[in-house]
Amino acid sequence: LVTTVIFTRNQTHQKTTEIKIGNNVVHATVANTPLKQAKGLMFVENMPRNEGMLFVFERESPHIFWMKNTLISLDIIWINSEKRIIDIQTANPCVKDPCQQYAPKEDSLYVLEVNANWAKTHGVKTGDYVEMDSFAE
């Protein structure tokens, strides 16, 4: 598995990583700071297939998500510290407040966001093992 650092137009670095679930590979931008996590995929108008965002948290917790200012529907995939998928939910953009909140059934350490219905299309389900780099930093 490969983790790289890319530079955006304003020369801020964004770490990306390769995530493997079964035979499926997702190239994900890593959101590992509170600022990156708060922004998430807000204002993104489209996302290429097999790309996403991986949220890396400091500890396992019931990380709750919402879709404020998110323009595309997403699959939210919660992953525990053992790198097992513990929940998958499809979330739609929030068109007016209050926005729906999406909470997992169990605590997670990672959350992967991909295009809506990606999990179903690729046969990804709860209990599946996720191969990815360790992000202890």
Side-chain angles (χ1 to χ4, degrees):
L1 299 176
V2 178
T3 299
T4 59
V5 176
I6 59 173
F7 288 87
T8 59
R9 287 184 198 146
N10 62 2
Q11 293 303 304
T12 59
H13 71 281
Q14 292 194 325
K15 186 183 292 187
T16 62
T17 191
E18 192 173 273
I19 298 166
K20 189 172 181 189
I21 307 170
N23 293 323
N24 307 294
V25 176
V26 174
H27 300 278
T29 301
V30 178
N32 58 354
T33 66
L35 182 61
K36 290 177 185 177
Q37 291 166 352
K39 183 177 180 195
L41 292 171
M42 285 183 178
F43 307 109
V44 172
E45 294 179 357
N46 59 58
M47 189 165 52
R49 288 182 349 171
N50 300 320
E51 289 192 16
M53 179 167 278
L54 179 68
F55 295 79
V56 179
F57 297 99
E58 290 185 15
R59 64 183 183 283
E60 277 192 311
S61 181
H63 299 289
I64 298 170
F65 280 65
W66 66 335
M67 299 290 285
K68 180 77 173 182
N69 298 321
T70 305
L71 307 176
I72 58 176
S73 297
L74 298 169
D75 278 354
I76 304 173
I77 303 172
W78 286 269
I79 304 164
N80 67 14
S81 60
E82 297 172 356
K83 297 185 180 172
R84 294 273 174 200
I85 296 174
I86 53 110
D87 202 358
I88 302 170
Q89 296 180 36
T90 299
N92 294 311
C94 174
V95 292
K96 68 177 189 170
D97 287 327
C99 293
Q100 179 178 346
Q101 294 185 341
Y102 299 88
K105 297 174 186 168
E106 300 175 31
D107 289 351
S108 65
L109 185 60
Y110 309 97
V111 175
L112 176 62
E113 289 185 337
V114 290
N115 286 306
N117 299 311
W118 182 90
K120 183 177 180 181
T121 300
H122 291 87
V124 171
K125 59 194 180 313
T126 58
D128 284 354
Y129 180 75
V130 179
E131 291 180 58
M132 66 177 136
D133 291 332
S134 291
F135 291 94
E137 296 182 36

